[in-house]
Amino acid sequence: MDDLYPPIQVRAEGMLDVGDGHRIYCQEAGNPDGKPVVVLHGGPGSGISPMARRHFDPEAYRIILFDQRGAGRSTPHIGTPDVDLSANTLWHLVADMEKLRERLNLDQWQLFGGSWGATLALAYAETHPSRVSEIILRGVFTVRRGELDWIYNGGAANLFPREWEDFLAPIPEDRRDDPLSAYRELVYHPDRAIRERAAIAWSTWEGAIVCLRPDPAFHNQYASPEFAVTFARLALHYFCHGAWLEEGQLIREAGKLSGIPGVIVQGRYDAVCPPATAYELHRAWPDSKLELVEAAGHAVTDPGMLAALREATDSFRSP
C-alpha cells in the first residue's frame, strides 16, 4: 500500500456528548495546527478504521475522525438490547458533526467520505456549505430507491448470482419481493441466533461484491459476527427509512455546493455503487472533478483507488 502514508498514531481521543443520550467517540491525529479534515466512515456502522488516517499527510493535516451514533465506541451501541433508534437518523449525524466542529473551534473543515460516508458528507455540506473548505468522495451513494434496488433487490444479482442466492436464503420465500423489510425484521428478531445468522448473511453479501476481484480478507471481515451485527442493523435502520431523505434530494440540491472544490473518486466497475450516481453528482456540482478509476470496484484498496485519493488529499493540503 505504497499510496498510503505510514501508520499515523492517534494524538488525542475522547467522548463528546451530543444529546439524546448519545456520546460519540472522537479521535485526532496529525498536525494540531494543520488543515482540518474530518473523515466520515461508511456503513452505516463500520466505525473508525486506522487506515483512514493514512490518506493524509500528517505534517499538513489535522485529521479528525469519529464513530457515528450506534457504531464503534460510541454509546449506546446498536448491539445494545432494545436500543432506542428514534434519535439515530442522518440529520442527527449532521448535527453531531456541527457540535464536533464547534467543540474544536474550527471555522471550516475538509470532508472526506466513501460510500455511506459520501452520503453523510453531501448531507452536511448541503446543510452547512459555509463550513466546508473542500470535499473528497469515493464510491458515491445517495440512498435513492434505484440505488437501493440495485444492491438489495436484484440488480447486482446479475453479476453475482450464487452470492445473491446465499443472500436470499434466510428470507422466507413469500417475503423475497422486499428483502430490505424482511431483513430488518430478521436482524431485530428476539432470538439471538436468528438475528446473528441474518446479519452475517446480509453483511457477507456486501463483502462479496465490494471488491473487483474476490478478497478473502474482506469476506472474513464482513462475515465476522461482531462486524456484521452492527453493520446490518444500522444499515437496515437507515435504508428502510430512505435515510430520511426525499427521493433524489442530495443530487437535486447539489447546486448548494457551488464554490466548494471537490474530487469524486469512483471505480469504473463498482458493483455496490455504480458510476452513474457519481456522474450525476459531478454534473450537478459545478466545482467537482470526477476521477474514474478504470481497474477498480468499490473497495478503497482496489487498484488505483488509493493513489487517486492520495492525489486528491495532497492537492488540497495547503491552507
Side-chain angles (χ1 to χ4, degrees):
M1 297 189 181
D2 294 339
D3 294 307
L4 290 171
Y5 283 93
I8 302 170
Q9 297 302 310
V10 174
R11 180 175 49 77
E13 60 185 330
M15 303 292 290
L16 176 64
D17 188 335
V18 290
D20 310 307
H22 285 265
R23 299 173 76 233
I24 61 170
Y25 171 73
C26 310
Q27 289 182 353
E28 278 200 50
N31 183 351
D33 298 316
K35 185 170 193 172
V37 58
V38 61
V39 180
L40 307 174
H41 68 69
S46 63
I48 290 172
S49 163
M51 193 182 82
R53 300 191 287 269
R54 298 177 60 192
H55 296 293
F56 308 94
D57 180 349
E59 298 298 321
Y61 276 104
R62 180 181 180 183
I63 309 161
I64 301 153
L65 308 93
F66 69 98
D67 285 328
Q68 296 161 25
R69 292 190 183 202
R73 284 181 262 187
S74 293
T75 60
H77 191 270
I78 191 69
T80 305
D82 303 318
V83 63
D84 179 9
L85 294 172
S86 62
N88 195 335
T89 72
L90 175 63
W91 303 111
H92 286 97
L93 303 187
V94 168
D96 292 350
M97 290 177 63
E98 265 299 89
K99 289 184 175 74
L100 178 57
R101 183 193 62 78
E102 291 170 353
R103 176 65 176 270
L104 297 174
N105 196 30
L106 301 175
D107 183 55
Q108 287 189 317
W109 52 5
Q110 182 184 122
L111 310 182
F112 182 99
S115 197
W116 167 257
T119 312
L120 178 54
L122 289 169
Y124 177 88
E126 291 176 9
T127 306
H128 302 286
S130 67
R131 298 305 183 183
V132 179
S133 58
E134 304 93 12
I135 307 172
I136 300 173
L137 305 178
R138 174 191 59 80
V140 176
F141 178 57
T142 66
V143 205
R144 292 178 296 181
R145 185 72 250 173
E147 295 170 56
L148 291 170
D149 283 345
W150 168 262
I151 313 171
Y152 303 117
N153 207 18
N158 290 283
L159 302 175
F160 299 90
R162 179 179 59 78
E163 292 84 356
W164 178 250
E165 188 174 34
D166 293 340
F167 174 76
L168 292 180
I171 306 175
E173 289 192 13
D174 62 350
R175 298 292 309 282
R176 292 180 180 178
D177 60 329
D178 188 358
L180 279 176
S181 64
Y183 257 108
R184 186 162 189 262
E185 291 180 16
L186 289 169
V187 301
Y188 287 97
H189 196 279
D191 186 317
R192 177 177 178 176
I194 291 174
R195 64 178 183 258
E196 189 169 288
R197 174 177 176 245
I200 291 170
W202 167 277
S203 183
T204 301
W205 162 245
E206 185 153 336
I209 68 175
V210 72
C211 292
L212 185 64
R213 293 185 175 90
D215 185 335
F218 272 95
H219 177 272
N220 293 339
Q221 176 191 357
Y222 280 77
S224 160
E226 183 178 347
F227 177 89
V229 169
T230 301
F231 181 64
R233 296 184 99 192
L234 268 177
L236 283 157
H237 169 62
Y238 274 77
F239 299 163
C240 286
H241 289 92
W244 296 271
L245 289 162
E246 296 175 6
E247 177 66 15
Q249 179 178 340
L250 294 179
I251 301 290
R252 186 173 62 251
E253 297 188 359
K256 294 179 179 180
L257 308 177
S258 180
I260 302 174
V263 176
I264 304 167
V265 176
Q266 178 69 41
R268 165 76 75 181
Y269 300 106
D270 189 333
V272 179
C273 302
T277 301
Y279 185 71
E280 289 179 62
L281 175 64
H282 169 58
R283 291 286 301 273
W285 174 11
D287 298 283
S288 67
K289 177 182 179 182
L290 176 61
E291 293 287 351
L292 204 57
V293 182
E294 294 293 343
H298 188 69
V300 69
T301 53
D302 273 354
M305 296 296 284
L306 292 175
L309 290 168
R310 177 162 172 170
E311 182 179 347
T313 63
D314 283 354
S315 72
F316 289 141
R317 64 185 162 186
S318 299

